[in-house]
């Protein structure tokens, strides 16, 4: 088996890499296991020094690293540079805050539990396997790796098969920065092999960002082996527009959210629920914004968005659109496969979407927006919550009471008001329902892969 880099903007094969053999995987596991003792004995200060050095290396490699993201998944050069810089800054965040997040706590007075001393300490679990996607090939990995390593764990990265050069770069970055040999390594293996790895007792936990199917397989393997898992599985994210909203700005931000990363973002808006009082005005503005945002060469500065990452991802998105068209959806803009090389897809707006259409419930991972008219805030909440997913939502209103109610009653892992959904170093990130469980980032993320140990003394 080989793992390949294929340029999404041309569809051409760039380079192939042999998958790791069983013997090579065993060597990688052995190195990680040997590094666990060194990592557990290291201090926060030592790990912080290594992490800051890794961040500096990533900054120094900005042009090369961003170029890999452009080449392997079609990200525009500007957004690729932003992602790499954000990743480096996220590493510095955990270098600065890990010791604070994992400081021992005394949750109750010792005497109340019959002790002279009682506290909770946070200690590393060991080797954590990360199964990561291609859509944010640096940031998705770093937001796992930075907290896991700063907690004293070791990490194994099974990256998406379409970004092998990025995976290999990240597999070397932390060793270059001074972390013990084997503390963080890349596995070039197929997806099915990742679940099988959880049968190995040297791997103590797993985190996955990907599809519901992949998450279910990994969770089943983790459960069978009594191992901790964290899953982030995407979403059909809601975008609610109320009559008091800034129409022009919300339409502009909605289009930016839907076309960001060529629509291949778990937390960006996909289902737009617009109050009837402003529906026509908002839809006209939104269609105009979407129509004006065009795809093109991801290496050109004025490109709105680049190609989709793989031929299959584009085919999956278009299949959902075609199914909706066959059942009578109204296409306001886009919706047709462009001619020529590369895996491009136009910004697309659909209205009159009905429950019989697959796109009504399934996540469309592409620049395709479904717009619905709602008569009230009650209907908006009910419609937004009528989803198997619950990752992120955005609400647009100038009414503080409306915002408070929407943020309280929408069933999502995060609800942003008058701004697009995003991930932040200091805030937890994750979802509910089929969007997964567990959290990344902030103090919640670093505490996912530690042993919260009670220490009691009579």
């Amino acid at each position: 088996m080989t793992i390949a880099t294929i340029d999404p903007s041309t569809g051409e094969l760039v380079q192939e890499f042999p998958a790791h053999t069983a013997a090579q995987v065993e060597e990688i596991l052995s190195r990680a296991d040997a590094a666990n003792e060194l990592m557990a004995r290291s201090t926060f200060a030592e790990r912080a020094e290594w992490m800051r050095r890794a961040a500096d290396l990533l900054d120094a490699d900005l042009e090369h690293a961003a170029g890999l993201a452009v080449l392997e998944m079609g990200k525009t050069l500007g957004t690729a540079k932003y992602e790499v810089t954000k990743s480096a800054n996220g590493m510095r965040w955990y270098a600065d805050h890990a010791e604070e997040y994992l400081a021992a706590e005394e949750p109750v007075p010792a005497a109340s539990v019959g002790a002279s001393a009682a506290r909770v300490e946070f200690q590393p679990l060991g080797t954590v396997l990360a199964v990561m996607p291609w859509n944010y090939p640096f940031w998705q990995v770093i937001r796992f790796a930075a907290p896991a390593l700063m907690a004293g764990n070791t990490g194994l990265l099974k990256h998406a098969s379409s970004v092998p050069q990025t995976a290999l770069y990240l597999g070397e970055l932390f060793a270059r920065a001074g972390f013990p040999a084997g503390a963080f390594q890349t596995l070039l293996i197929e997806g099915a092999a990742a679940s099988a790895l959880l049968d190995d007792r040297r791997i103590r936990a797993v985190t996955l960002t990907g599809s519901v199917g992949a998450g279910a397989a990994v969770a089943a393997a983790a459960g069978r082996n009594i191992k901790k898992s964290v899953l982030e599985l995407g979403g059909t994210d809601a975008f609610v527009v109320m009559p008091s909203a800034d129409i022009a700005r919300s339409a502009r931000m909605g289009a930016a959210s839907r076309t960001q990363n060529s629509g291949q973002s778990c937390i960006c808006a996909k289902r737009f629920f617009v109050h009837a009082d402003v529906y026509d005005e908002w839809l006209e503005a939104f269609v105009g914004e979407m129509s004006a945002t065009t795809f093109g060469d991801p290496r050109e500065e004025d490109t709105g968005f680049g190609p989709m990452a793989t031929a299959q991802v584009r085919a999956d998105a278009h299949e959902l659109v075609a199914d909706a068209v066959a059942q009578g959806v109204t296409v306001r803009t886009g919706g047709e496969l462009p001619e020529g090389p590369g895996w491009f897809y136009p910004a697309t707006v659909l209205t009159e979407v009905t429950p019989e259409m697959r796109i009504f419930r399934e996540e469309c991972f592409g620049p395709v927006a479904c717009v619905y008219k709602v008569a009230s805030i009650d209907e908006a909440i009910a419609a937004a919550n009528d989803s198997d997913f619950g990752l992120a939502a955005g609400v647009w209103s100038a009414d503080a009471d409306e915002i408070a109610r929407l943020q309280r009653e929408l069933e999502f892992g995060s609800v942003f008001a008058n701004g697009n959904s995003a991930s932040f170093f200091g805030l937890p990130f994750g979802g509910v329902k089929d969007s997964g469980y567990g959290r990344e980032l902030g103090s919640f993320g670093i505490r996912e892969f530690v042993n919260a140990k009670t220490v009691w003394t009579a």
Side-chain angles (χ1 to χ4, degrees), residues 370-384:
C370 296
V371 183
Y372 304 83
K373 182 190 293 187
V374 294
S376 65
I377 189 172
D378 295 320
E379 185 178 344
I381 292 169

Side-chain angles (χ1 to χ4, degrees), residues 4 144 372 414:
F144 146 74
Y372 304 83
S414 63

Side-chain angles (χ1 to χ4, degrees), residues 59-332:
D59 276 341
D61 293 342
L62 175 62
E63 295 293 335
H64 172 67
L68 291 178
V70 174
L71 173 66
E72 294 199 304
M73 67 80 53
K75 193 180 296 285
T76 60
L77 183 57
T79 58
K81 288 182 177 180
Y82 174 82
E83 180 182 339
V84 171
T85 299
K86 180 177 182 177
S87 298
N89 289 333
M91 293 158 76
R92 294 186 180 98
W93 177 271
Y94 275 104
D96 292 342
H97 293 278
E99 186 169 11
E100 165 198 342
Y101 287 156
L102 298 180
E105 296 181 357
E106 297 180 1
V108 297
S112 71
V113 292
S116 63
R119 64 186 183 279
V120 178
E121 296 180 352
F122 300 97
Q123 298 178 341
L125 293 180
T127 300
V128 182
L129 173 66
V131 183
M132 293 287 106
W134 41 261
N135 58 331
Y136 291 94
F138 284 91
W139 176 231
Q140 292 277 176
V141 174
I142 294 302
R143 73 189 197 195
F144 146 74
L149 293 173
M150 282 304 304
N153 295 300
T154 61
L156 293 179
L157 170 63
K158 189 283 174 217
H159 216 328
S161 296
S162 58
V163 291
Q165 294 187 55
T166 304
L168 291 169
Y169 172 88
L170 289 167
E172 297 172 351
L173 176 64
F174 296 99
R176 289 169 57 201
F179 278 89
F184 192 87
Q185 301 172 86
T186 282
L187 291 160
L188 291 184
I189 56 175
E190 61 183 357
S195 294
L197 275 178
L198 288 168
D199 293 332
D200 193 301
R201 294 195 63 81
R202 289 170 292 186
I203 292 177
R204 299 310 310 152
V206 61
T207 180
L208 175 141
T209 298
S211 68
V212 172
V218 165
R224 183 177 67 248
N225 288 284
I226 321 297
K227 294 179 181 178
K228 178 69 178 291
S229 59
V230 170
L231 304 179
E232 193 265 276
L233 306 177
T236 52
D237 309 291
F239 188 104
V240 177
V241 182
M242 299 303 292
S244 62
D246 182 326
I247 300 301
R249 181 170 181 269
S250 60
R252 184 173 65 253
M253 295 293 282
S257 180
R258 189 72 296 252
T259 57
Q260 177 183 317
N261 213 37
S262 305
Q264 301 163 124
S265 174
C266 298
I267 63 169
C268 287
K270 300 174 182 70
R271 298 178 300 141
F272 296 77
F273 302 98
V274 185
H275 195 282
D277 290 354
V278 294
Y279 177 84
D280 291 337
E281 180 186 0
W282 191 89
L283 179 61
E284 181 180 5
F286 180 64
V287 171
E289 295 284 354
M290 289 286 280
S291 300
T293 309
T294 57
F295 61 77
D297 185 341
R299 297 165 180 84
E300 297 293 332
E301 289 188 5
D302 59 350
T303 294
F305 58 95
M308 299 185 72
T310 70
Q312 187 61 56
V313 171
R314 184 177 74 159
D316 290 345
H318 186 60
E319 184 178 298
L320 291 177
V321 173
D323 170 78
V325 169
Q327 299 189 66
V329 81
T330 299
V331 181
R332 302 285 179 159

